[in-house]
């Protein structure tokens, strides 16, 4: 595969991505009128863009206003787990229609996805858009990305852990998910342990996004899924009431807990979005 398999990727689940890479790179795949992001056929790129435009403007725009001391630099956004770049492109197009020019950065677990994203953004990004860093990386560990940098750090989706407790070590993805669903039906301690493991995993993604955002910048999480025991039609996630002051303090996120706000996804798929603001105090540089 075009990535170094991480310890959490127990089933090498990322292999399911990449089937359209070649067509996206050479332009033969019409992504704008095709099924977007593995949703049903009614959710094309264009249909998704139309549905998500209002949300993206409200979530991103407040963090992208001109600031003193920028030296003429245009605002920058960073998408963790950017895939083949379509959500990053969509965000840039929507904000360009609001008169906002951007520098686009991102990373993905698959190097193949990064290669596609580079080509799509080079070819399709709105006039005035600058293309910044696009690289391979594990969204839970992006230490090579600078801290306190981007006006908005975001992700279009947090990939949940499959079988967080390792109940079926050599099982397929489906077998592992079925084992987790069995814990939900038993409603015992193991289901709670598995959910805590999932929450710790989500918190790692958030930690990296918060770290990379500039002081006073935005952290945006799109399409957050609910816990498996609440929605067995999805892959697992965290409950809405998890996003609170206690969680912010437990994981040490450098955000204002009062800034947290949630909104159901415009796709009406049971998922939701989260926005928070990084505190404005900038940390001193680390000495070596």
């Amino acid at each position: 595969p075009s990535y170094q398999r991480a310890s959490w990727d127990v089933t090498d689940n990322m292999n399911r991505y990449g089937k359209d890479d070649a067509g996206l790179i050479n332009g033969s795949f019409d992504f704008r009128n095709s099924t977007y992001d593995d949703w049903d056929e009614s959710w094309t790129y264009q249909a998704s863009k139309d549905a998500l435009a209002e949300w993206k403007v409200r979530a991103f725009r407040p963090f992208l206003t001109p600031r003193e001391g920028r030296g003429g630099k245009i605002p920058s956004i960073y998408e963790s787990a950017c895939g083949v770049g379509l959500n990053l492109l969509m965000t840039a197009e929507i904000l360009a229609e609001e008169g906002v020019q951007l520098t686009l950065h991102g990373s993905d677990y698959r190097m193949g996805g990064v290669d596609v994203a580079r080509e799509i953004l080079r070819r399709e990004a709105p006039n005035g858009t600058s293309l910044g860093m696009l690289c391979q990386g594990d969204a839970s560990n992006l230490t090579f990305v600078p801290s306190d940098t981007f006006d908005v750090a975001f992700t279009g989706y947090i990939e949940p852990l499959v079988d967080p407790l390792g109940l079926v070590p050599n099982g397929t993805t489906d077998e592992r998910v079925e084992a987790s669903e069995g814990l939900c039906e038993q409603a015992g301690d193991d289901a709670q342990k598995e959910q805590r493991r999932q929450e710790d995993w989500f918190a790692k993604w958030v930690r990296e996004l918060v770290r990379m955002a500039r002081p006073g910048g935005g952290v945006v999480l799109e399409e957050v899924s609910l816990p498996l025991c609440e929605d067995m039609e999805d892959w697992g996630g965290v409950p809405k009431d998890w996003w609170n002051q206690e969680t912010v303090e437990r994981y040490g996120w450098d955000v204002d807990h009062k800034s947290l706000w949630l909104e159901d996804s415009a796709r009406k798929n049971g998922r939701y979005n989260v926005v928070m603001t990084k505190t404005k105090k900038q940390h001193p540089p680390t000495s070596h």
Side-chain angles (χ1 to χ4, degrees), residues 195 199 226-227 230 238-247 250 260 262 272:
Q195 181 56 35
E199 291 169 2
L226 292 169
E230 290 186 34
V238 295
K240 293 180 179 179
D241 60 8
W242 182 70
W243 304 93
N244 56 35
Q245 181 178 1
E246 180 182 349
T247 296
R250 179 189 310 135
L260 277 161
L262 283 66
Y272 61 95

Side-chain angles (χ1 to χ4, degrees), residues 2 7 13 15 76 90 109 112 114 160 167-168 184-185 202 211 225-228 237 246 249 257-258 268 275 279 285:
S2 59
S7 59
N13 204 27
N15 273 333
S76 63
M90 180 187 298
Y109 185 57
V114 174
L167 301 172
V168 190
C184 295
E185 294 168 358
F202 272 59
R211 179 184 63 78
S225 46
L226 292 169
L228 186 66
E246 180 182 349
E249 293 175 351
H257 70 272
K258 295 179 181 178
K268 303 186 185 304
V275 180
T279 56

Side-chain angles (χ1 to χ4, degrees), residues 231-288:
D231 184 2
M232 291 191 186
E233 296 298 316
D234 214 328
W235 293 90
V238 295
K240 293 180 179 179
D241 60 8
W242 182 70
W243 304 93
N244 56 35
Q245 181 178 1
E246 180 182 349
T247 296
V248 169
E249 293 175 351
R250 179 189 310 135
Y251 293 108
W253 299 339
D254 192 10
V255 299
D256 177 4
H257 70 272
K258 295 179 181 178
S259 71
L260 277 161
W261 59 277
L262 283 66
E263 180 175 301
D264 289 342
S265 170
R267 287 175 172 170
K268 303 186 185 304
N269 54 8
R271 294 179 179 175
Y272 61 95
N273 306 312
V274 182
V275 180
M276 61 186 89
T277 303
K278 184 169 180 174
T279 56
K280 293 185 178 182
K281 181 180 179 182
Q282 188 165 6
H283 299 293
T286 303
S287 60
H288 296 282

Side-chain angles (χ1 to χ4, degrees), residues 140-208:
S140 67
N141 184 20
L142 295 170
T143 54
F144 58 89
V145 181
S147 302
D148 299 322
T149 299
F150 306 100
D151 292 281
V152 176
F154 75 110
T155 186
Y157 178 62
I158 294 181
E159 188 82 29
L161 288 177
V162 177
D163 186 14
L165 296 182
L167 301 172
V168 190
N170 299 312
T172 64
T173 298
D174 287 344
E175 289 169 343
R176 286 172 173 267
V177 171
E178 288 175 6
S180 293
E181 291 174 346
L183 294 183
C184 295
E185 294 168 358
Q186 295 170 20
D189 290 343
D190 283 345
Q192 296 179 20
K193 290 178 183 177
E194 186 167 86
Q195 181 56 35
R196 285 195 295 271
R197 189 77 58 85
Q198 193 74 267
E199 291 169 2
D200 289 345
W201 170 245
F202 272 59
K204 287 182 178 181
W205 285 57
V206 178
R207 176 200 63 200
E208 288 294 80

Side-chain angles (χ1 to χ4, degrees), residues 1-5 15 21 108-115 136:
S2 59
Y3 51 87
Q4 182 178 355
R5 185 170 171 181
N15 273 333
D21 283 1
D108 193 65
Y109 185 57
R110 291 192 317 117
M111 191 64 219
V114 174
D115 291 339
Q136 190 274 336

